[in-house]
Amino acid sequence: MTSPRDPVDLSKLSTAELLAGALSEVSVADPDEPVPHLVALHARPTREVFDVAVRLVARDNPAERELGVRILRELGDHDVAGRRPFSREGIPLLIERLDREADPRVLGWVISALGYNRAREALGDVLRFVDHPHWRVRFHVATALPSLVDEERIEPHAAKALQLLCRDDEADTRYYALVALIEEASGVEPELITQTLTDLLNDPDEQIRELVAAQLSDGSPKHGPRESP
């Protein structure tokens, strides 16, 4: 007999049970809270789970839409190209959602989901939100862009967008935009990097100043973990 303290084997739960648990998890305001039911859904890349996620994305309740988007974000393992089992069907739906989503929290997850599915075809659509009025949306643009740009040489307008995000009001957005610009993107013009680093020498955020100093001193910055908004 299982005692109340025994861990539940989530893999044995029905999809409906996992969905109920995951909805409760994503409804919590703190995005750093564990989401074990959602993770279990990611490990179940079936047509049933995908179809449920698609239906959720169209719901009136923002929490349900968020759940649908976050299921699509990491549904199944990605291949060498960064695509997941349902990326081909899910990406157009996510791109369409960009113009329809009014909730900034959900919109941020839509942008993140495009990055996690390496939807390079969505680069232009995502760049439209680089100056969105809500910080959460701009943060997700900064973190998603490295997965949306050309791996060999970043598109100039994408590099400029990251430079702009390095001047954002929110320190988390500046930090991840800077990491993307100096560590994750290829082919960024040296002059753009130099100007960006110079602009951030006296940034009010200590971790950003340390990253800038490391880059200027030896060109090999090491960035540590930083909590997501």
Side-chain angles (χ1 to χ4, degrees):
M1 178 180 293
T2 301
S3 73
R5 293 185 178 180
D6 289 336
V8 176
D9 185 352
L10 297 181
S11 67
K12 295 182 178 179
L13 296 184
S14 68
T15 297
E17 290 171 320
L18 288 178
L19 286 165
L23 180 59
S24 177
E25 291 165 357
V26 304
S27 298
V28 175
D30 184 357
D32 291 317
E33 285 294 315
V35 286
H37 290 80
L38 177 58
V39 171
L41 285 168
H42 291 156
R44 194 176 292 184
T46 64
R47 172 60 60 176
E48 177 191 18
V49 174
F50 174 76
D51 288 344
V52 170
V54 170
R55 291 195 294 271
L56 286 170
V57 169
R59 294 284 177 82
D60 291 334
N61 184 344
E64 291 182 311
R65 295 200 304 275
E66 178 179 336
L67 176 57
V69 170
R70 290 179 68 175
I71 291 172
L72 296 177
R73 180 176 181 251
E74 297 178 74
L75 184 57
D77 294 332
H78 60 75
D79 59 21
V80 293
R83 296 286 179 137
R84 299 176 188 273
F86 292 96
S87 290
R88 183 179 62 81
E89 297 173 72
I91 287 173
L93 182 151
L94 292 167
I95 292 176
E96 180 185 10
R97 193 72 217 171
L98 289 173
D99 287 324
R100 303 178 62 184
E101 185 53 61
D103 186 283
R105 174 166 168 150
V106 181
L107 178 58
W109 284 117
V110 173
I111 292 169
S112 180
L114 288 166
Y116 269 73
N117 282 269
R118 194 154 180 77
R120 287 189 54 200
E121 61 268 45
L123 176 61
D125 298 284
V126 170
L127 285 175
R128 293 188 290 111
F129 297 93
V130 71
D131 58 353
H132 191 277
H134 200 284
W135 65 268
R136 189 181 296 276
V137 176
R138 301 192 307 272
F139 169 83
H140 281 293
V141 172
T143 57
L145 279 179
S147 298
L148 302 178
V149 300
D150 190 320
E151 289 183 333
E152 300 298 324
R153 187 174 184 83
I154 187 173
E155 294 81 352
H157 55 303
K160 285 287 188 181
L162 285 172
Q163 184 183 40
L164 176 63
L165 290 165
C166 284
R167 305 167 185 159
D168 197 85
D169 292 338
E170 292 293 326
D172 285 321
T173 300
R174 296 197 304 277
Y175 178 82
Y176 281 105
L178 180 60
V179 169
L181 199 63
I182 65 177
E183 295 189 19
E184 299 175 330
S186 298
V188 181
E189 293 296 332
E191 294 81 4
L192 187 148
I193 291 180
T194 300
Q195 183 61 59
T196 302
L197 291 170
T198 302
D199 292 343
L200 294 173
L201 273 171
N202 298 310
D203 192 273
D205 184 86
E206 181 180 3
Q207 200 168 0
I208 292 175
R209 293 197 305 273
E210 291 176 351
L211 187 58
V212 170
Q215 174 67 18
L216 291 175
S217 65
D218 61 16
S220 302
K222 302 296 182 185
H223 69 275
R226 189 176 178 105
E227 291 186 355
S228 302

